[in-house]
Amino acid sequence: MKRGFRIAHVVVASLVLAGIVAQPFLIGLFLFGAVHNSDLHTEVGYGLFEGGIPLLLITGLLARLPKTEMLLIFLQILLVNLRDTSSVLAALHPLNAFALLLIAITVVRRDRALLRHTEEGVAKA
């Protein structure tokens, strides 16, 4: 059963990683005039926050995996919402995105390694 939740977690983590990778492209579409607003970037970002991250936490809990990575996601949303009160702090939003990318890659790699390790353990038994 735990293996099934680990598979679900790696799938969700991969989708979150894809969303994080897509974010710079989506804002680039707006910045370079391919689209007239940043709505797609915003929607994907909030979709990750409202859908992907809760699923990642739930599958992580059920698979009994570490949960230390989620703090940066909340920080990312906080930073963008500071644009009206503290633009200097809000400017850290793109830098935090790099940290999120590295963490998402680490989570996917760790999950895949855990799955391989469990498969090897099952094959030896």
Side-chain angles (χ1 to χ4, degrees):
M1 175 93 103
K2 187 164 69 170
R3 185 179 189 296
F5 289 125
R6 285 187 175 174
I7 291 170
H9 191 266
V10 78
V11 169
V12 173
S14 297
L15 291 172
V16 167
L17 174 60
I20 291 170
V21 168
Q23 285 291 83
F25 173 72
L26 296 174
I27 199 62
L29 288 174
F30 168 65
L31 292 174
F32 295 105
V35 296
H36 299 293
N37 58 47
S38 62
D39 290 352
L40 191 54
H41 171 80
T42 303
E43 291 301 319
V44 170
Y46 280 116
L48 287 171
F49 180 67
E50 295 170 353
I53 301 312
L55 281 174
L56 201 58
L57 285 170
I58 291 167
T59 57
L61 286 169
L62 295 171
R64 295 183 176 89
L65 298 171
K67 282 53 147 203
T68 55
E69 306 89 11
M70 300 308 137
L71 179 62
L72 283 177
I73 298 289
F74 295 106
L75 179 61
Q76 188 71 345
I77 299 299
L78 175 69
L79 288 172
V80 78
N81 287 322
L82 287 174
R83 68 179 165 257
D84 295 331
T85 57
S86 179
S87 56
V88 173
L89 287 177
L92 294 172
H93 177 80
L95 293 175
N96 192 53
F98 287 119
L100 287 172
L101 177 63
L102 292 174
I103 286 173
I105 290 169
T106 302
V107 168
V108 170
R109 291 182 76 196
R110 183 202 60 213
D111 285 358
R112 293 181 72 200
L114 279 170
L115 280 173
R116 274 194 301 274
H117 180 70
T118 21
E119 287 173 359
E120 290 170 3
V122 170
K124 289 180 184 177

